[in-house]
């Protein structure tokens, strides 16, 4: 199939190109002249993983109760089993992000791995109540069918902007053992038992049986931080960290 001819002459093409450029210039001028909403910000987040051996982390989180994942239709960064990242936000070009240089320095230090660097433009007026933004990233844990880092980030505003970071860092669990009765003897073997009234006490020996434990909590972040425009905040745990930056966008920008 041959390409469809749109114009019969080069002159017509030049006229259309000139008209298109003029319309783009008018659109940009209209945006700069006051079409930017009030309380309009660029929100930026970088999520990092510290390059450390989880077994060397002194904090022990195995006995912590972790609530199930929050139910939300919004996603900041969700990586599926195949490695495809998905988001429900209209992300800004990465080159626009102020945190790019900070994330690069941290990764170049050899102590961190950048898992996500993302930002978007949105109006956050007073009394704004944002939906939780789902996070799933890091290595895939086969035994649990999920990513090693999961949770959510929520943005709210009363008088000031607040960011609530709620992340869990998991690793594949190790098998634990619990006492179980030994298997019943085969036919012909005598079972020992004692009866007293209606009670029954088995004299079969107890043996340790492995119990599957697909996940083990390494660390978490549970923190709400008040934001100020053009201030970089760093929320961290022994194994993961979150850089946060908000910049208010004015019509004069």
């Amino acid at each position: 199939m041959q390409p469809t001819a749109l114009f019969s002459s080069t002159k017509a093409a030049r006229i259309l190109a000139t008209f298109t450029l003029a319309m783009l210039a008018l659109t940009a001028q209209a945006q700069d002249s006051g079409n930017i909403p009030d309380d309009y910000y660029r929100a930026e987040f970088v999520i990092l993983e510290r390059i450390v051996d989880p077994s060397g982390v002194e904090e022990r989180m195995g006995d912590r109760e972790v609530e199930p994942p929050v139910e939300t239709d919004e996603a900041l960064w969700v990586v599926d089993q195949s490695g495809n990242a998905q988001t429900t936000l209209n992300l800004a070009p990465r080159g626009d992000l102020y945190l790019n240089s900070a994330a690069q320095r941290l990764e170049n230090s050899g102590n961190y791995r950048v898992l996500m660097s993302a930002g978007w433009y949105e109006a956050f007026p007073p009394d704004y109540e944002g939906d939780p933004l789902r996070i799933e990233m890091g290595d895939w844990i086969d035994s649990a069918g999920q990513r090693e880092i999961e949770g959510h980030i929520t943005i709210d505003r009363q008088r000031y902007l607040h960011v609530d970071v709620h992340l869990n860092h998991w690793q594949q669990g190790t098998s634990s053992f619990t006492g179980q009765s030994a298997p019943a003897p085969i036919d012909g073997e005598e079972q020992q038992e004692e009866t007293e009234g209606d009670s029954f006490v088995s004299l079969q020996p107890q043996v340790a049986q492995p119990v599957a434990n697909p996940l083990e909590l390494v660390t978490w972040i549970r923190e709400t931080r008040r934001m100020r425009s053009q201030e970089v905040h760093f929320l961290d745990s022994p194994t993961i960290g979150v850089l946060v930056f908000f910049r208010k966008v004015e019509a004069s920008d």
Side-chain angles (χ1 to χ4, degrees):
M1 180 181 295
Q2 295 296 323
T4 303
L6 298 178
F7 300 100
S8 60
S9 68
T10 304
K11 182 178 179 180
R14 289 176 179 172
I15 292 173
L16 179 59
T18 302
F19 176 77
T20 301
L21 291 173
M23 291 301 296
L24 290 173
L26 289 172
T27 301
Q29 183 178 6
Q31 290 176 340
D32 290 340
S33 64
N35 280 350
I36 293 177
D38 293 335
D39 303 303
Y40 197 55
Y41 291 83
R42 186 176 69 241
E44 301 184 20
F45 290 85
V46 173
I47 298 181
L48 313 113
E49 181 177 7
R50 294 180 188 269
I51 302 177
V52 297
D53 184 354
S55 64
V57 177
E58 295 183 359
E59 188 174 4
R60 292 291 176 258
M61 306 285 290
D63 60 344
R64 301 293 182 94
E65 292 187 6
V66 181
E67 58 271 29
V70 65
E71 294 185 5
T72 178
D73 294 327
E74 303 299 321
L76 173 52
W77 200 276
V78 172
V79 183
D80 63 20
Q81 185 175 1
S82 300
N84 301 310
Q86 302 174 355
T87 181
T88 57
L89 301 172
N90 184 19
L91 297 182
R94 188 164 180 176
D96 290 356
L97 304 185
Y98 176 81
L99 290 179
N100 271 344
S101 58
Q104 192 64 51
R105 287 195 301 271
L106 288 170
E107 192 160 51
N108 289 342
S109 72
N111 298 319
Y112 294 89
R113 176 168 64 126
V114 175
L115 301 177
M116 181 207 77
S117 182
W120 71 98
Y121 293 88
E122 186 174 349
F124 297 106
D127 300 321
Y128 174 89
E129 295 183 3
D131 292 324
L133 302 172
R134 186 77 185 139
I135 301 287
E136 296 178 20
M137 60 183 60
D139 295 334
W140 181 261
I141 302 176
D142 285 323
S143 61
Q146 69 169 63
R147 293 283 164 184
E148 63 173 340
I149 296 170
E150 59 82 26
H152 62 273
I153 291 174
T154 307
I155 302 171
D156 295 310
R157 183 179 178 187
Q158 291 80 45
R159 182 178 178 184
Y160 300 102
L161 277 167
H162 291 84
V163 169
D164 177 39
V165 176
H166 186 289
L167 295 178
N168 304 310
H169 186 185
W170 302 94
Q171 67 179 358
Q172 184 166 327
T174 55
S175 296
S176 58
F177 292 85
T178 183
Q180 299 285 341
S181 296
I186 60 175
D187 293 341
E189 289 189 357
E190 183 179 354
Q191 295 189 33
Q192 291 182 307
E193 60 181 37
E194 292 180 356
T195 58
E196 182 177 351
D198 294 331
S199 64
F200 171 82
V201 179
S202 174
L203 299 182
Q204 296 180 19
Q206 298 289 306
V207 295
Q209 298 289 334
V211 176
N213 183 21
L215 285 176
E216 181 179 330
L217 185 65
V218 181
T219 60
W220 67 19
I221 297 179
R222 299 285 191 277
E223 187 169 350
T224 300
R225 185 75 63 87
R226 172 182 160 184
M227 298 288 114
R228 294 180 184 271
S229 182
Q230 302 195 66
E231 285 188 357
V232 178
H233 294 258
F234 187 41
L235 295 70
D236 69 331
S237 78
T239 61
I240 52 177
V242 182
L243 285 169
V244 188
F245 178 81
F246 281 77
R247 181 182 183 275
K248 190 169 185 179
V249 180
E250 307 287 355
S252 58
D253 291 338

